[in-house]
Amino acid sequence: MTASAFVTAIVPCLDEAAAIGAVVAGLLANGADAVLVVDGGSRDATRERAAASGAHVIVERRRGYGRAIQAGIAALPPETGIVLFVDGDGSDRLDRVPALLDPIRAGRAAFVHGSRILGDREPGAMSPQQIVAGHLAGWLLRLTYGARFTDMSPFRAIRRDALARLGMRDETYGWNLEMLMRASAAGLRCEEVAVGQRPRQGGASKVSGDWRVGIRAAWVIGTTFLRLARVLSREGRPAG
């Protein structure tokens, strides 16, 4: 992978009008060559503000985080060499984009994961259940695959060819965990960098802001780990 590899950012969002313009502008200023905003049917001005800031907007009305990501992947420009994943609520520190891209451009890694837990978190940026879930996922990944991740942050980058080989399938909240598991089981060269976290700049959390939704997301993540561990075993991708 060369230093000039074309970078496309995929940003799933829903009712993020207050933050999406700054997210798109920040991505373009910090290393992204193109931004795909995948809108899940916002009722505010998210789509208009994203487009005005320089993003290409895709509408995916079927709910589900994984579905939104898959819609973005299907629309990647052909010249894309690196895919960057970012949330649309303004919580990701976009000045850390180069830290995610540099290991891939230098040929040291195929997948780089941003850890909010290791980074400089502003007060209130992460809920207690998010922190606990990150530690638990890291423990399970280390125990099962020997991988060393500390979080399930959506802020991450991967070579496009490596992403295509992973065979990602999850359509909901389990997408981020599935990528960590598949990258580990496939033996990709992985790095984790500290990215920190800011409080969301607009909108309402689809997971952490509501305990009921948070419990549902935790259930999806737990069942995803067990289900996918069995799938990867049948696919002949041994743990560790």
Side-chain angles (χ1 to χ4, degrees):
M1 187 63 64
T2 66
S4 60
F6 193 94
V7 178
T8 300
I10 296 177
V11 187
C13 61
L14 177 65
D15 296 325
E16 309 286 6
I20 193 62
V23 170
V24 173
L27 285 167
L28 293 173
N30 282 285
D33 298 295
V35 179
L36 300 180
V37 168
V38 185
D39 184 78
S42 294
R43 293 169 292 181
D44 60 11
T46 295
R47 294 188 293 274
E48 293 79 6
R49 293 184 183 179
S53 299
H56 175 65
V57 179
I58 303 161
V59 177
E60 173 54 81
R61 295 192 181 279
R62 297 177 303 161
R63 293 296 176 90
Y65 183 88
R67 290 189 184 97
I69 295 290
Q70 293 282 26
I73 291 171
L76 286 171
E79 62 269 33
T80 301
I82 301 174
V83 185
L84 177 68
F85 299 97
V86 182
D87 270 355
D89 60 12
S91 61
D92 293 322
R93 294 178 55 180
L94 301 181
D95 60 325
R96 298 298 291 159
V97 167
L100 292 172
L101 300 178
D102 288 348
I104 299 177
R105 286 175 162 159
R108 299 198 312 270
F111 171 63
V112 182
H113 180 250
S115 174
R116 301 164 296 182
I117 291 175
L118 292 182
D120 182 17
R121 300 194 308 273
E122 295 182 20
M126 291 183 71
S127 68
Q129 60 263 40
Q130 284 178 300
I131 296 171
V132 170
H135 284 302
L136 177 60
W139 179 79
L140 289 170
L141 287 160
R142 186 163 56 252
L143 180 68
T144 309
Y145 299 104
R148 294 192 175 275
F149 295 111
T150 62
D151 192 11
M152 286 189 297
S153 167
F155 196 20
R156 53 185 66 187
I158 189 169
R159 280 198 340 236
R160 184 180 187 176
D161 61 327
L163 175 62
R165 292 195 301 269
L166 289 184
M168 295 290 297
R169 300 174 187 172
D170 197 273
E171 297 182 338
T172 58
Y173 299 117
W175 170 276
N176 290 326
L177 177 59
E178 182 187 18
M179 183 181 283
L180 295 180
M181 293 178 70
R182 286 189 175 275
S184 301
L188 289 187
R189 287 177 298 167
C190 302
E191 286 192 19
E192 185 173 67
V193 299
V195 295
Q197 184 82 339
R198 304 166 59 201
R200 62 170 41 251
Q201 303 302 296
S205 174
K206 286 44 171 200
V207 179
S208 61
D210 186 317
W211 275 103
R212 293 169 297 179
V213 179
I215 291 171
R216 178 177 178 274
W219 172 258
V220 170
I221 288 167
T223 55
T224 294
F225 190 94
L226 295 173
R227 172 179 53 78
L228 189 56
R230 292 193 295 268
V231 169
L232 293 176
S233 179
R234 290 196 299 269
E235 289 178 358
R237 302 186 186 190

